Amino acid sequence: MSEPIAPILVLAIGNPSRGDDAVGPILGERLMQWRREQPPLIANQLDVIAEQQLMVEHLLDMQGRQHILFIDAAASGVEGHRLAPILPSPPPPLPGHACHPGELLGLYRQTFDTPPPATLLAIEGQQFELGQALSESTVRHMEAGWLSLLQCLSELLGMPSPCA
């Protein structure tokens, strides 16, 4: 008998070898540790997957979920961090292996049906070159993003606010 699917899926995306692009996997690992510290009633409501990139295969991971939360670094368009709903966007005509969150949601809609509601936590990054460390500013943005992430998860899981 298979385990029930957790209603919330977190897809933490980024390449740990490319400087600030590591924020997704770092927060994903941190969230996995946070999950281990929660009572089973909370922990079983959440799955976390940390990957270097979103792939078409993640469509299968998204099935049966009530909410998808993406975590990724942003090279532009974000000051500090932003936690906001994300809507499906048209998938590329011939989807490649890697997708952006909106494209993955659009592909889900095209393949299955209406995707679950989704949220994107974008963390501002400065340095994305191979072998670079996290920039100091991105570390600060990541810490602020972590608090927003916990607040969002508390609301989704029906928990008291961690900031109260």
Side-chain angles (χ1 to χ4, degrees):
M1 189 163 141
S2 64
E3 290 185 34
I5 295 174
I8 300 168
L9 173 64
V10 177
L11 290 167
I13 310 307
N15 186 336
S17 300
R18 291 198 170 269
D20 294 341
D21 199 38
V23 297
I26 289 171
L27 288 178
E29 288 295 323
R30 195 169 176 183
L31 190 55
M32 285 184 233
Q33 177 60 40
W34 177 88
R35 182 181 177 265
R36 286 189 286 275
E37 296 166 358
Q38 301 307 307
L41 187 61
I42 298 299
N44 294 337
Q45 302 300 307
L46 178 67
D47 281 336
V48 180
I49 298 174
E51 296 277 0
Q52 284 196 19
Q53 61 186 6
L54 288 176
M55 299 173 283
V56 173
E57 290 85 347
H58 287 115
L59 291 175
L60 299 176
D61 296 317
M62 294 167 60
Q63 287 187 297
R65 308 297 180 152
Q66 294 174 12
H67 198 95
I68 310 294
L69 202 149
F70 298 93
I71 304 172
D72 200 2
S76 63
V78 173
E79 290 185 27
H81 77 281
R82 179 177 57 222
L83 184 69
I86 185 166
L87 299 173
S89 60
L94 295 172
H97 199 64
C99 298
H100 296 288
E103 293 173 336
L104 191 63
L105 293 169
L107 193 55
Y108 187 98
R109 178 175 57 199
Q110 187 177 44
T111 305
F112 299 113
D113 198 0
T114 304
T119 304
L120 171 63
L121 172 60
I123 308 288
E124 178 185 6
Q126 305 292 321
Q127 322 180 135
F128 293 90
E129 296 300 316
L130 188 62
Q132 286 185 313
L134 284 174
S135 65
E136 289 180 30
S137 62
T138 297
V139 170
R140 286 190 307 276
H141 302 321
M142 185 176 65
E143 291 308 312
W146 171 251
L147 295 177
S148 292
L149 175 63
L150 290 180
Q151 178 68 39
C152 177
L153 285 171
S154 294
E155 291 171 14
L156 290 170
L157 294 167
M159 298 172 57
S161 170
C163 303

